[in-house]
Amino acid sequence: MIAKKVLLVGNFGVGKTSLIRRFVLNEFSEDYISTIGVRVSKKVVEYNNDSIKLMIWDVAGTNGNEKIPKTYFLGAHAAMFVFDLSREETYLTIEENLNMVKDLSGLKEITIVGNKKDLLTAEELNNVLNVVSVDVDLVTSAKENDNVESAFMKLTAQTLK
Amino acid sequence: MIPAKININFIQITTDFSGIITSVDAGEFAKKEFFVTTTIFDTCPFLEGTLEGLIIAESVLLEGMVIVSDNVEYNVDIELLKNENSVEVLILNRTNVYKIVDQLNQNRNDLFFVKREIAEKNKELDRLRKIADKANEEKSRFLAMMSHEIRNPLNAILGYAEMIAAETLNKNVEKYIKHLSYSGKNLKVIVDDILDLSRIEAGKLVLVNEEMSIENIYQNCEDTYKNQQKNTDVKLVFSVDKEIPKTILGDSVRLHQILSNLIGNAIKFTQQGSVTISATPVLTSNKEYVNILFTVTDTGRGMSKEQAVKIFEEYQQNKISDNRVHGGAGLGLAIVNRLVTAMNGKINLESELNKGTSFFIEIPFKKIEDKKLKNIAVSKTECSIKNKRILVADDDLLNQTIVAHYLKKQQANSTIVSDGLEALEKIESEVFDVILLDINMPNMTGEELVTKNKSFLKFNSTTPILALTANATKEDIKRYKKAGFLDVISKPFTSKKFVEKICSVLFS
């Protein structure tokens, strides 16, 4: 079985841990407990008839342009940048933040996910997506288990490129 | 020899490139989890993938990783060093440090979210406040406009009532006309109150700071209310302490309004006994200011504590029947309260049901230096406009008749026209002593006419021009004066006020 190291990064409170919990354990909690350092979860996924073991790094959320330790990205195959669709400050400088992640990780492409879709109306969602200056790969809701699987499959596909 | 305290907080392991433990070299931390020939990835899953990325002879530090030993979670820092054939792994237990960092981090993030929530709520409050302000502004504008619309017909009602009252009448008609005048005057008070309140709410109330005499104001109140007061069972007592300076700086009109409201209420609700109105200086006065305490005490029906709490609210009347019996819209005390506040004063009351009520108002007034004192005239001189040539332009036939009647009574020579154009024709061909112009007239408004300077040159270059209008806000008056009017006679007016105003411009 191939093991692939993937990282979830983004501002604190955007729902990285919730996305992982939903994907790995199919659980969700409204409580917010900040992540300190790194927690690693494992999940085996089937992709194109191959079994892939994803080593999912839940990296502590940052505050704006705080740097993530470069060593976290050692041997990483893909990364997901998560932002909160309901919090402007998590996507206003997204381009700058993505470039920083690319520089640190050496990855050419980052999967971009807007989370907490459940907090917005369709119209509000459209407005946010118009404001975000980069192409968003998927909008998700960890709470309502919406698009979470697809987001991780997209990330898996990224590990194989 | 490594001390035991240190020994239990670290472990050093060597693995091959695939993570298989080849030796446990030193330390005791989580020793149970690491055995030779087993994989290090079971306890340190984060090393899977990471080991592949290591570069030979380059030390790497991974901070804040989590491992589990004996079902207990530990926060560890890990140092990795890749050699030619192996990887050295040093695991340091930093749980105690990370516990504090964790708490700080959680607090920081929680604070951020609370701050964000407050900011959002403030934004919402701000939005709601703006909506409320706008609605309030609309209301004030509507009230001001309606009040103006009411003033015109009210002028006709009061004017005709006054004219009829001057005729020889039978007893019944005399009684009816008295009621008509009384109701008309009540309506005027309500309209004035509404205008005042909307003006105060819109922040447009400007207090003047002129020389005034408390003694004069009290004398005026005494004259007015002693004349009006027909109930001989109620005694009116006015007193002004001799220590109060003869002249101070303040807004005499508004102070008169405050006192009139309180005295009027006290008389309304007192069937027997007395209404005492006094003014005394307060000890807190200083060199620059004198604080004056105005007290209005009655022996009337009084009120309960619950009623007293609400008494300064708008449209507040203690009994449903008050409006029917005593008139008014319940705005008087709300206005008094706001006026007192605007004067940096305080208002309080003490009341007991069936025993009476006392209102206490304390207002600071600026003192005037002795050398700057002017004599304030107490009495007004009588004047006559007999034989004065007076041009009146008003398109409202009812108002025309009232004005013509007032002028005829004064034996003035009046010329009445119906619009601005007719007035212009007269101004260009005759000399007048005073010109009275309505503002809203067909063909040419009063404001347009007053700016035609050339037309006045030949016969009326120095003739005073007065505006005759129901638009009587401070802003309106300022605008009219700027346009060329010398003063304004605001509708509704009584014959006395009308003549006084003409006299004031004729003989000033």
Side-chain angles (χ1 to χ4, degrees):
Chain A
M1 196 189 303
I2 327 164
K4 295 287 181 190
K5 175 176 170 179
V6 296
L7 285 88
L8 266 70
V9 295
N11 280 51
F12 63 84
V14 296
K16 298 181 291 295
T17 307
S18 294
L19 283 170
I20 295 169
R21 275 172 69 85
R22 175 61 81 189
F23 178 61
V24 177
L25 305 168
N26 197 23
E27 283 175 0
F28 179 80
S29 162
E30 291 276 6
D31 298 338
Y32 170 63
I33 298 162
S34 77
T35 309
I36 192 75
V38 176
R39 264 169 205 281
V40 177
S41 307
K42 285 182 272 187
K43 179 157 177 166
V44 177
V45 295
E46 297 299 322
Y47 188 81
N48 286 348
N49 298 324
D50 279 329
S51 291
I52 297 166
K53 183 162 76 173
L54 285 182
M55 310 298 302
I56 308 165
W57 283 47
D58 182 7
V59 179
T62 54
N63 184 10
N65 52 7
E66 244 176 75
K67 274 198 176 177
I68 304 161
K70 192 177 177 174
T71 51
Y72 287 177
F73 291 100
L74 271 176
H77 297 94
M80 183 192 286
F81 184 91
V82 186
F83 68 90
D84 182 342
L85 290 160
S86 71
R87 266 168 64 205
E88 209 178 46
E89 76 272 11
T90 67
Y91 58 77
L92 278 185
T93 54
I94 195 165
E95 232 171 315
E96 201 182 308
N97 297 339
L98 279 169
N99 285 335
M100 192 169 74
V101 173
K102 282 180 186 171
D103 278 351
L104 290 167
S105 65
L107 295 165
K108 285 194 177 122
E109 280 186 52
I110 309 285
T111 304
I112 302 163
V113 169
N115 190 35
K116 303 194 190 177
K117 182 186 172 189
D118 52 286
L119 296 180
L120 280 76
T121 62
E123 196 190 342
E124 285 167 340
L125 181 61
N126 261 336
N127 291 341
V128 171
L129 294 177
N130 283 334
V131 172
V132 178
S133 56
V134 293
D135 288 336
V136 177
D137 290 303
L138 278 152
V139 287
T140 59
S141 164
K143 186 179 177 179
E144 292 176 352
N145 197 8
D146 191 356
N147 264 346
V148 178
E149 183 90 17
S150 308
F152 279 94
M153 291 320 284
K154 174 99 191 166
L155 189 65
T156 308
Q158 205 68 51
T159 65
L160 298 171
K161 274 188 184 171
Chain B
M1 173 86 179
I2 300 165
K5 255 190 181 173
I6 296 176
N7 223 13
I8 57 162
N9 278 314
F10 85 98
I11 191 161
Q12 189 171 346
I13 297 159
T14 305
T15 72
D16 64 14
F17 291 165
S18 64
I20 301 295
I21 299 169
T22 53
S23 64
V24 177
D25 308 313
E28 301 285 328
F29 173 64
K31 204 176 174 181
K32 277 191 208 165
E33 313 299 330
F34 304 103
F35 295 103
V36 176
T37 70
T38 62
T39 173
I40 197 168
F41 298 154
D42 286 344
T43 310
C44 304
F46 44 84
L47 291 181
E48 196 167 359
T50 306
L51 291 189
E52 292 166 24
L54 295 174
I55 297 164
I56 288 177
E58 220 171 82
S59 170
V60 164
L61 176 68
L62 291 176
E63 290 175 304
M65 312 310 290
V66 177
I67 66 164
V68 179
S69 174
D70 262 351
N71 291 323
V72 178
E73 274 194 355
Y74 295 94
N75 292 102
V76 295
D77 286 348
I78 295 192
E79 277 182 50
L80 302 168
L81 182 66
K82 191 175 182 180
N83 300 316
E84 288 294 335
N85 301 312
S86 61
V87 181
E88 283 176 29
V89 183
L90 176 65
I91 304 173
L92 300 162
N93 179 12
R94 306 292 298 273
T95 308
N96 286 342
V97 176
Y98 280 106
K99 216 185 268 172
I100 296 164
V101 175
D102 192 16
Q103 195 53 53
L104 288 173
N105 198 48
Q106 179 79 36
N107 290 350
R108 178 196 72 169
N109 295 358
D110 286 348
L111 270 178
F112 174 86
F113 285 114
V114 169
K115 208 175 125 195
R116 199 169 170 272
E117 204 174 313
I118 291 171
E120 262 168 21
K121 288 212 165 119
N122 279 344
K123 234 193 237 164
E124 180 63 9
L125 279 176
D126 196 45
R127 192 182 66 82
L128 292 174
R129 194 178 56 84
K130 276 181 187 150
I131 293 173
D133 282 352
K134 203 172 168 226
N136 204 26
E137 247 170 56
E138 293 284 324
K139 182 198 76 181
S140 297
R141 216 174 46 219
F142 171 77
L143 289 176
M145 198 179 77
M146 286 313 292
S147 305
H148 167 251
E149 292 305 314
I150 294 166
R151 273 168 184 273
N152 257 321
L154 192 56
N155 192 47
I157 293 169
L158 287 172
Y160 276 104
E162 198 181 335
M163 280 159 64
I164 298 167
E167 300 290 326
T168 316
L169 305 165
N170 72 41
K171 284 243 154 100
N172 271 346
V173 180
E174 204 175 293
K175 198 169 81 188
Y176 299 152
I177 205 71
K178 220 165 114 186
H179 290 319
L180 180 65
S181 290
Y182 180 74
S183 299
K185 277 173 193 162
N186 262 341
L187 184 56
K188 183 179 177 296
V189 170
I190 293 172
V191 171
D192 286 345
D193 279 357
I194 291 172
L195 260 183
D196 272 345
L197 196 68
S198 51
R199 216 174 285 159
I200 296 169
E201 280 187 347
K204 285 182 179 165
L205 177 84
V206 182
L207 293 170
V208 297
N209 226 11
E210 60 191 7
E211 287 182 19
M212 63 173 209
S213 153
I214 300 288
E215 216 176 313
N216 283 0
I217 293 170
Y218 265 57
Q219 192 58 54
N220 278 336
C221 288
E222 190 170 349
D223 292 345
T224 312
Y225 286 99
K226 279 197 168 161
N227 274 334
Q228 281 180 12
Q229 169 66 353
K230 304 288 180 229
N231 184 354
T232 49
D233 290 339
V234 179
K235 204 176 153 197
L236 294 186
V237 184
F238 286 82
S239 71
V240 177
D241 193 294
K242 286 199 168 65
E243 294 297 311
I244 289 178
K246 292 277 174 228
T247 318
I248 47 175
L249 285 178
D251 192 324
S252 59
V253 174
R254 294 299 178 183
L255 181 62
H256 189 275
Q257 188 181 0
I258 291 170
L259 292 170
S260 292
N261 253 303
L262 294 179
I263 299 167
N265 273 349
I267 293 173
K268 256 191 228 173
F269 299 112
T270 307
Q271 298 304 315
Q272 216 172 14
S274 64
V275 173
T276 313
I277 306 102
S278 67
T280 46
V282 181
L283 285 175
T284 50
S285 307
N286 56 35
K287 261 189 182 175
E288 223 180 316
Y289 286 89
V290 56
N291 281 28
I292 299 177
L293 178 70
F294 302 94
T295 312
V296 178
T297 301
D298 66 58
T299 55
R301 75 179 193 203
M303 58 190 122
S304 67
K305 272 187 185 166
E306 292 76 24
Q307 287 169 331
V309 169
K310 289 183 181 172
I311 201 70
F312 295 114
E313 289 174 13
E314 291 112 41
Y315 311 104
Q316 188 61 40
Q317 286 180 324
N318 282 338
K319 286 186 182 173
I320 295 169
S321 60
D322 279 354
N323 172 267
R324 286 198 303 270
V325 179
H326 302 291
L331 291 173
L333 286 177
I335 293 168
V336 165
N337 188 24
R338 288 169 192 224
L339 286 175
V340 171
T341 309
M343 291 179 178
N344 298 320
K346 292 179 283 190
I347 183 163
N348 288 304
L349 72 101
E350 279 172 13
S351 189
E352 205 176 324
L353 264 182
N354 305 320
K355 291 222 167 148
T357 304
S358 290
F359 281 92
F360 306 97
I361 294 173
E362 190 183 326
I363 300 172
F365 294 96
K366 203 159 189 205
K367 290 180 186 170
I368 305 170
E369 290 170 47
D370 285 347
K371 55 188 173 187
K372 288 185 183 167
L373 277 179
K374 278 192 233 159
N375 282 328
I376 294 176
V378 180
S379 59
K380 283 175 186 160
T381 48
E382 288 291 322
C383 94
S384 165
I385 56 170
K386 191 176 174 183
N387 297 328
K388 295 292 174 194
R389 294 153 298 179
I390 299 175
L391 172 66
V392 181
D394 196 327
D395 62 318
D396 188 317
L397 191 66
L398 296 177
N399 281 329
Q400 272 183 23
T401 321
I402 294 164
V403 171
H405 176 81
Y406 289 167
L407 292 173
K408 192 179 167 194
K409 226 170 128 190
Q410 296 292 319
Q411 295 173 301
N413 294 330
S414 62
T415 305
I416 313 277
V417 295
S418 302
D419 65 33
L421 274 183
E422 280 181 41
L424 183 67
E425 211 173 285
K426 293 283 176 196
I427 288 163
E428 285 174 336
S429 56
E430 283 178 45
V431 177
F432 293 100
D433 295 306
V434 178
I435 298 168
L436 307 177
L437 301 177
D438 181 23
I439 295 292
N440 299 322
M441 288 187 291
N443 301 325
M444 187 185 288
T445 69
E447 260 180 300
E448 284 166 356
L449 177 54
V450 85
T451 55
K452 301 211 170 292
N453 296 331
K454 279 184 188 166
S455 305
F456 288 82
L457 279 178
K458 196 170 180 189
F459 296 105
N460 293 289
S461 60
T462 56
T463 309
I465 310 163
L466 290 171
L468 207 58
T469 178
N471 303 325
T473 64
K474 272 216 162 85
E475 297 76 37
D476 289 331
I477 293 173
K478 205 171 154 189
R479 201 177 69 239
Y480 299 147
K481 285 189 175 172
K482 203 175 165 192
F485 288 99
L486 194 60
D487 211 336
V488 174
I489 301 178
S490 63
K491 294 174 184 172
F493 47 78
T494 59
S495 63
K496 192 172 167 236
K497 268 194 183 163
F498 179 75
V499 175
E500 269 175 16
K501 204 63 155 186
I502 295 174
C503 282
S504 73
V505 295
L506 270 176
F507 304 109
S508 61

